[in-house]
Amino acid sequence: MTEDDVDPENPRPAGHYPRFADNEWHYIPDELAKTISLGPVSDGEEGQDWVLTYTPEKQDEADREKVLARLTPRALHELYIETKGHSVEQRQMGHHAECDLCGEMVDLDRAIPNPRGDPCHKHCWAEYTGAPEWFSEHV
């Protein structure tokens, strides 16, 4: 297990977050993380509430139900305090990653895994591996 891996049975990081020592920690698998969103309830007009949504994993896909958590102004303020010093790139790291081959940011929806399983741009992968001619149509 590498430093970045999380043990699903014991997700609390060792030696971190002492103020949360008595809290229960939960593991968020990639499949659940893809369902998380945060935004205004409708078109974002002033005074409208914000909502945090996610779809918990269930054994039967038909049993999955979206969970909505209404965020109070205080909750939004706390989220702001936690992220106010972050760049857009840092806040969106869940959707982007560093290309393992060129070091630039790559949208995870458009990335492909290199042989080590790390995300990379299609054109970087093609250049790195000497991809066949037909692959250039997909880049």
Side-chain angles (χ1 to χ4, degrees), residues 89-106:
E89 188 175 279
Q90 289 171 319
R91 288 194 301 265
Q92 294 179 342
M93 282 303 282
H95 305 287
H96 297 81
E98 184 177 318
C99 174
D100 189 52
L101 300 173
C102 74
E104 298 291 320
M105 297 306 288
V106 58

Side-chain angles (χ1 to χ4, degrees), residues 65-122:
E65 225 177 281
K66 185 172 281 239
V67 174
L68 292 98
R70 180 178 168 191
L71 299 177
T72 64
R74 172 68 184 185
L76 286 173
H77 179 74
E78 289 298 322
L79 285 172
Y80 170 75
I81 295 299
E82 292 294 325
T83 61
K84 72 179 180 178
H86 295 182
S87 68
V88 172
E89 188 175 279
Q90 289 171 319
R91 288 194 301 265
Q92 294 179 342
M93 282 303 282
H95 305 287
H96 297 81
E98 184 177 318
C99 174
D100 189 52
L101 300 173
C102 74
E104 298 291 320
M105 297 306 288
V106 58
D107 185 338
L108 290 178
D109 291 335
R110 296 183 177 160
I112 59 173
N114 68 13
R116 292 183 300 278
D118 296 322
C120 62
H121 295 103
K122 291 179 182 179

Side-chain angles (χ1 to χ4, degrees), residues 11-83:
R12 186 181 193 284
H16 293 276
Y17 313 107
R19 86 178 238 218
F20 302 114
D22 296 331
N23 296 92
E24 182 179 354
W25 286 70
H26 299 274
Y27 173 71
I28 306 293
D30 291 342
E31 295 76 29
L32 175 57
K34 292 176 187 175
T35 72
I36 296 173
S37 67
L38 171 66
V41 174
S42 61
D43 57 8
E45 291 179 18
E46 191 172 326
Q48 289 183 339
D49 292 326
W50 278 53
V51 65
L52 175 69
T53 65
Y54 66 95
T55 308
E57 188 70 24
K58 299 282 184 173
Q59 186 169 2
D60 183 359
E61 286 194 37
D63 292 338
R64 295 179 187 176
E65 225 177 281
K66 185 172 281 239
V67 174
L68 292 98
R70 180 178 168 191
L71 299 177
T72 64
R74 172 68 184 185
L76 286 173
H77 179 74
E78 289 298 322
L79 285 172
Y80 170 75
I81 295 299
E82 292 294 325
T83 61

